[in-house]
Amino acid sequence: MPETVYDVAIIGSGPAGYTAAIRAGQYGLKTALLEKDNVLGGTCLHVGCIPTKALLFNAELWDHLKEAGEFGIEGVEARKLNWAAVQERKAKIVNKHTKGLEFLMKKNKVEVIRGYGRLTGHAQQGIHTVDVKGPDGKTKALKSRNVILSTGSEARMLPGTEPDSRILTNIEILSLKEVPKSLVIIGAGAVGVEFASIYKSFDADVTIIEMLPRLVPVEDEEVSKELARVYRKRGINFHTNARVEKVEKVKEGILVTITVEGKQQKIEAEKILIAVGRKPRTANLGLEMTNIKPEREFIKTDSWMQTTEPGVYAIGDIVLGTPQLAHVGAMEGIVAVTKIAGKPAKPVNPERIPNATYCHPEIGSVGLTETRAREAGYNVKVGKFPFTANSRASIVGRHEGFIKIVSDADYGEILGVHIIGPQATELIAEAVAAMEMEATVEDLVWTIHAHPTLAEAMLDASNSVYGMAINA
Ligand SMILES: Cc1cc2nc3c(=O)[nH]c(=O)nc-3n(C[C@H](O)[C@H](O)[C@H](O)COP(=O)(O)OP(=O)(O)OC[C@H]3O[C@@H](n4cnc5c(N)ncnc54)[C@H](O)[C@@H]3O)c2cc1C
């Protein structure tokens, strides 16, 4: 039997890897997808995007029930949370989509290979050899013309801490047997503020500790301010400009020592979640046998996701300089495979990547913040519209937040859109599409939006760039 030579071997089956595999199959490329774990889907499906959003939806329903009286619904005061059932529903969603991925691999003739993949060096006559260590401990050589690395990331820990039943990462916190009475969260990025939102809704005493001056530090300053206002109202405690000095285990839980503006404080809690960023998984991949020299453990690529080793591509959380988001990895996978297939491709544009944070209130954003636009030298003009003046927001009883459009006064170019409030993670899609099509604020102003919708706030925000919002 002649040895199989694949067109593409993809190492890692997270959203970056599985998307690349499906597109490769659609192009008729002979494709192998390697996965070290016994399920496909990676961080996103098993311990990231999907389970967190499932819990956030439970939390939202629970919060609605707390306010049921306001909507004329009585008899739900004696409500009871069945945490085991909440966890079971989350697991069902994950299982359903894991099976869905297996089906999609078969449908697109992608060969799934269980095992740990490692590069072995440069290609010989255009063919790479990847060592695959299977679950039986045996290593086999796999041949492929192209290799895509999509090995993802894992939680960074604070020095001297290891995950266990009290010190948690995204993995442990997703399978707690009960809601903790109190929780300290280190890090106020998307992961930190989402878990704060979930556990506060379920009545835990939550405290966030952030080293930088504000919550969600990558977002527009006004968005951070609004989130801080609502979190204060929700009773979520937070300390910004705070440095963690020590994390100790005490009899009842965890004792965290922090320094804020030179003063030491101690916070005790049942559990602590470490959400200080994600470390790319690039060790033990055989990179030292190639021309790839990781920078701070990330892999540098060109616009087509090609690394410095011919025929080897990198996509997803391991890539230097693009945000660690599932939809970014997925698009990078499509770019890489399209290039391999010799079809016309479009590189990922960092200014058109949506950020979505599903806490309550939700946050959706794309492009430049007001500060970054000013720093870049634009003649900035801002339009802002509050959800308090939007009729659909009144109907759904969610009035926090606003839509803010950052534009260039000279040409009406949309430089950035920042939304905090109801359905912000859905509403941002319009802004991304508008920016991708290079629409101007003027184009948005003439776009008819259905009434009554939350999306109308986008129309009002664009009119407000000219000081002419209809509803405020
Ligand atoms: C709590 C949390 C919530 C998140 N929520 C969101 C969200 O709402 N939206 C969003 O866009 N992003 C979210 N993210 C980020 C998102 O999960 C990641 O950006 C995404 O999973 C990265 O995809 P990836 O394919 O690069 O890697 P991963 O999803 O990490 O997958 C990598 C895969 O490669 C496998 N692997 C690793 N090394 C090898 C090897 N040598 N051989 C074989 N297999 C290997 C791993 O087992 C894994 O299955 C969240 C992350 C966390 C932690």
Side-chain angles (χ1 to χ4, degrees), residues 52-53 56 59 63 183 185 187-202 204-210 214-217 219 222-240 273 356-363 400-401 420-421:
T52 50
K53 268 82 254 180
L56 277 153
D63 285 341
L183 175 68
I185 297 175
V191 172
V193 298
E194 284 185 359
F195 279 113
S197 193
I198 293 170
Y199 285 102
K200 183 65 198 179
S201 292
F202 294 133
D205 183 11
V206 176
T207 305
I208 306 173
I209 295 165
E210 170 57 52
R214 54 196 177 94
L215 302 179
V216 285
E219 299 292 345
E222 286 193 273
V223 168
S224 296
K225 222 165 132 189
E226 179 67 356
L227 185 69
R229 188 187 70 79
V230 179
Y231 268 23
R232 236 175 252 124
K233 211 167 114 195
R234 289 187 64 190
I236 297 174
N237 311 306
F238 55 87
H239 301 277
T240 50
L273 169 70
T357 308
Y358 302 73
C359 51
H360 168 68
E362 291 189 3
I363 301 168
E400 305 96 1
I420 177 163

Side-chain angles (χ1 to χ4, degrees), residues 166 248-255 268-269:
R166 280 188 262 178
E248 293 163 90
K249 282 190 184 162
V250 287
K251 207 167 61 201
E252 295 298 315
I254 291 288
L255 184 67
E268 215 176 316

Side-chain angles (χ1 to χ4, degrees), residues 11-17 34-37 41-44 47-49 52-53 115-117 150-153 170 191 195 278 281 285 315-317 324-327 358:
I11 308 183
S13 76
L34 277 61
E35 174 52 57
K36 68 176 174 56
D37 291 347
T43 305
C44 174
V47 285
C49 327
T52 50
K53 268 82 254 180
Y116 188 97
S150 49
T151 47
S153 64
N170 60 301
V191 172
F195 279 113
R278 312 266 312 160
R281 260 194 225 108
L285 259 186
I315 58 175
D317 279 11
Q324 291 177 303
L325 292 168
H327 44 279
Y358 302 73

Side-chain angles (χ1 to χ4, degrees), residues 15-17 19-20 315-317 322-335:
T19 306
I315 58 175
D317 279 11
T322 49
Q324 291 177 303
L325 292 168
H327 44 279
V328 175
M331 191 56 90
E332 288 173 345
I334 288 178
V335 171

Side-chain angles (χ1 to χ4, degrees), residues 6 37 55-56 112 118 122 134 193 237 250 289 385 387 399:
Y6 294 92
D37 291 347
L55 291 185
L56 277 153
V112 174
R118 248 178 95 93
H122 309 300
V193 298
N237 311 306
V250 287
M289 315 285 283
F385 186 80
F387 282 109
H399 272 135

